[in-house]
Amino acid sequence: MLFTLPKLDYDYSALEPYIDAKTMEIHHTKHHQAYVDNLNAALQKYPALQVTPINELLLHLDTVPEEIRQVVRDQGGGHANHTMFWHMMKPHGGGEPKGKVALAIEKTFGSFATMQSVFNTAAKTRFGSGWAWLNVDKNGTLVINSTANQDSPLEQGMTPLLGLDVWEHAYYLKYQNKRVDYIASWWHVVNWDYVEDCYLKLVR
Ligand code: MN3
């Protein structure tokens, strides 16, 4: 059982005008598909790893055979990160978090606006390609960080609640060099219901 490209819960055009349909289509059918295909190709000789959940592979990269470890890190990370990313957005999303995660954000960062600004800085200052994240760490604490390439917080034992892809392929068609505008727009499609569900599963 090899890894497969997950279907989206919404149409490619559903996040317009914040994220354009063409970007969504290429991002999902070309970029994410390529991570899946490359991961599967690397695992061809390792049937046991093909049935290991991707989160487990990334958490225990040290147990992955050395000859495919970097490929699993890059392509497996790409598959895991994008799978979460599609759920972290929804049409008519945005606004502010509610429920327990909203309280945790206030407690940790002082306010939602402060969290947003720390997250924006992480996204803006990630040099080259990578991601910005709001994670829950092993102690249940909220942590904002950024990662390079397709490195995933899952490798560090953290669970992302929210992640923003700042590779140019995620925004270049619509925003060109204006990553800051893309970041500001993206908040309008954040799926806070997903964030809250994810948080409750981790801290319950
Ligand atoms: Mn991407």
Side-chain angles (χ1 to χ4, degrees), residues 5-200:
L5 183 70
K7 283 200 162 52
L8 300 193
D9 297 331
Y10 42 81
D11 295 334
Y12 294 131
S13 62
L15 305 181
E16 296 259 14
Y18 306 108
I19 302 182
D20 61 289
K22 195 73 195 163
T23 295
M24 285 300 295
E25 183 185 347
I26 295 172
H27 204 170
H28 183 242
T29 65
K30 306 293 183 206
H31 291 278
H32 191 169
Q33 182 71 63
Y35 296 125
V36 170
D37 293 345
N38 294 333
L39 175 63
N40 286 337
L43 296 181
Q44 214 148 28
K45 286 195 297 178
Y46 301 95
L49 300 185
Q50 295 169 15
V51 292
T52 307
I54 189 62
N55 292 16
E56 291 295 312
L57 283 180
L58 293 172
L59 182 60
H60 303 293
L61 269 180
D62 52 328
T63 66
V64 171
E66 201 179 347
E67 64 161 357
I68 59 164
R69 193 173 302 151
Q70 190 62 42
V71 181
V72 170
R73 182 177 172 184
D74 293 338
Q75 310 296 333
H79 174 46
N81 290 340
H82 287 84
T83 299
M84 296 185 285
F85 185 52
W86 309 132
H87 289 298
M88 290 163 172
M89 302 184 288
K90 69 168 189 178
H92 312 294
E96 296 200 7
K98 284 166 286 196
K100 284 202 174 169
V101 78
L103 293 175
I105 287 170
E106 254 172 61
K107 197 175 151 213
T108 309
F109 301 97
S111 69
F112 171 60
T114 305
M115 185 282 283
Q116 222 176 3
S117 131
V118 174
F119 187 99
N120 286 346
T121 300
K124 195 172 63 183
T125 57
R126 166 47 57 191
F127 184 71
S129 298
W131 293 74
W133 304 98
L134 171 66
N135 310 287
V136 179
D137 74 7
K138 286 171 199 155
N139 306 314
T141 306
L142 295 181
V143 176
I144 288 174
N145 71 345
S146 79
T147 57
N149 307 313
Q150 291 299 347
D151 287 347
S152 181
L154 296 167
E155 292 162 37
Q156 306 159 45
M158 298 201 284
T159 305
L161 297 179
L162 203 52
L164 177 57
D165 188 343
V166 294
W167 284 57
E168 284 186 346
H169 69 227
Y171 62 88
Y172 208 84
L173 287 181
K174 184 176 171 77
Y175 296 96
Q176 293 85 47
N177 60 316
K178 299 185 284 287
R179 187 192 285 188
V180 169
D181 293 356
Y182 160 67
I183 296 167
S185 279
W186 172 77
W187 289 104
H188 293 276
V189 295
V190 166
N191 184 354
W192 289 113
D193 296 331
Y194 171 85
V195 174
E196 171 75 346
D197 286 351
C198 212
Y199 184 70
L200 290 180

